[in-house]
Structures are given as structure tokens and as C-alpha cells.
Amino acid sequence: MTAPAASLFDEATLVRQAQGGDREAFAQLYDRYFERIYDFVRRTLRNEADSADVTQEVFIKAMASISTLSNPGVFKSWLFTVARNLSISRIRGARQVLSLDYAETDEPEATLSELVPDTDIAGAPEEAAERSELAAMVWAVAAGLDARQYTVLDLSVRQELDAAEMAEVLGVTRNNAYVMVNRTKAAFSESAGDYFIYRDGVQNCPGLREELARANIKAFSPEARKAIERHLKHCPRCGEKKKRLPMPLAMFSGLALAAPARADLGKWDHT
């Protein structure tokens, strides 16, 4: 009689079995983490083809190296560390810059939603439209963060890594990770307020339009946020408006996972 397979929830046991060469156990780990690893890689690279390749590379490397993992309890953070390192390597290899500055456009939120669509939208057309608008809004807000802030926000809020796991992925102490998470959440809230001022101001505030024009800014970005902060010092109207525009982090964490385009990408051949 064969031994029963490890429980889906008993991750440490699955890791130990995979370390012993059990490919079925590794397949269960793959099924558990594939969607979240793909989502993280997709939103880091913002390129569908590269994201598919890197995601598969993550699990190929993980399968080859899992025997070196001394503590099965840190498999999750270890896997995200592999994903982050491979994503950075892919970016550097293509001589790209990890940045959230996008091409100039009069409608940055539309561009962002096209770059990273949330495809898991079901239900009535009205619900789909609301989710699409939410996704566009959140990615437009995220354009105001720098690359490291975005990574911290994604790992902590969307991927739900705790401080210890964040420290492992980012290569910092647990206390530093805790501080980084809190600062990044605050930065996201600030970026949200600035985004709404940007969107309203380009239509209704001549002073902000002039400030942006002087800086040759045509899309929401970290540079746009600097111009907005300068503007807020001498525009009571926009300053008061920003105070009334909170942006809960739940909007970020509630986005659907980015889904791979290739139907066979989410299957692990463990035969």
C-alpha cells in the first residue's frame, strides 16, 4: 500500500518530499504558487512573453535547487526571491531600466491597464467595467512609485508576505522590511492623492497645467508628483481636494491576478 500524498496544506512536508525527489509533491507546490509567481513576474516585467518564460524558469530552477533549501518553512519567500532575481536578470539582460515611467500619453491610466490587464473579470458587463476602471486607476497610482516601492507593495499587500518573508526576498533585516512596508504603504496613499489631483487638475486647474507644462510632463509619474507637490504649496483649491481623496490599500490587494495567455502555461509536467 502506497503512502498517502502529503496534505495540500502541509507545505513543509511537500517541500521535504520534493527534496527527496518526489515530483508529484513538487507539482503540488507548483500548482499552489504558479498563479502568484506569474502575477508577480508579470507586473514586474510588464511583458507577456518574457513573463511566461521567466515564470517557467523560476520553477525549473526551484526544482533543481530545492534540495539546497535547509529550512522547508521558508519555501514561499525562497521562491519569490528566485522570481525577483530572475526578473531583475531578465531586465538587465535586455538593457532595460526597472522603472514605472511609461510612454507619454494624455490617458496614462488607459495605457497602464493595457500593459497589465486584470483578466479574471466575470459577471455582468457593469461589474466588468467597474473592475477594469479600478485596475486602470490602481496602476495609474502605482506609476507614481519608484521600482523598489512597487516591489515592496506588491509582495506585502498582494502576495501577502510577512515581514520575515519580505526580509528574505529583499535581503534586508526584518526590522528594515517592516519599516519599508509601512513607508511604501504611506507612499502609495500619497501617490493616490497626487494622482487624483493630476487627473482633476489637467482639466480644471490652469495653475497645475502650467506647472506640468513648464516641466514638460504629459503623464503621471514620480516627476509629475514632484510638480504636483510644488503646486500644492500655493493652490488652496487642490490642497483641499487632496485631503478629501483617500485611497484604501484594499483597492490594490483586491485586483485579480494577472492571467497567462497560453492555456498550457499553468501545467507542470512531472512525469
Side-chain angles (χ1 to χ4, degrees), residues 188-208:
F188 182 79
S189 296
E190 279 295 312
S191 184
D194 289 342
Y195 167 71
F196 285 111
I197 294 301
Y198 174 87
R199 192 172 68 170
D200 173 75
V202 294
Q203 298 293 328
N204 303 314
C205 182
L208 181 56

Side-chain angles (χ1 to χ4, degrees), residues 16-85:
R16 283 191 288 268
Q17 289 181 351
Q19 289 177 320
D22 188 335
R23 297 177 70 86
E24 177 61 35
F26 188 83
Q28 287 194 40
L29 293 169
Y30 177 89
D31 290 341
R32 172 177 290 194
Y33 284 107
F34 164 76
E35 288 186 346
R36 290 208 170 275
I37 292 296
Y38 178 84
D39 180 73
F40 175 69
V41 171
R42 178 74 174 88
R43 299 185 190 281
T44 300
L45 297 180
R46 300 184 304 281
N47 177 289
E48 189 172 292
D50 284 350
S51 299
D53 292 342
V54 169
T55 300
Q56 290 292 51
E57 189 179 350
V58 168
F59 286 98
I60 290 171
K61 184 170 183 177
M63 185 175 69
S65 305
I66 195 170
S67 62
T68 67
L69 184 63
S70 59
N71 180 5
V74 300
F75 176 78
K76 178 182 177 182
S77 58
W78 177 74
L79 192 63
F80 273 100
T81 301
V82 174
R84 180 173 182 264
N85 290 341

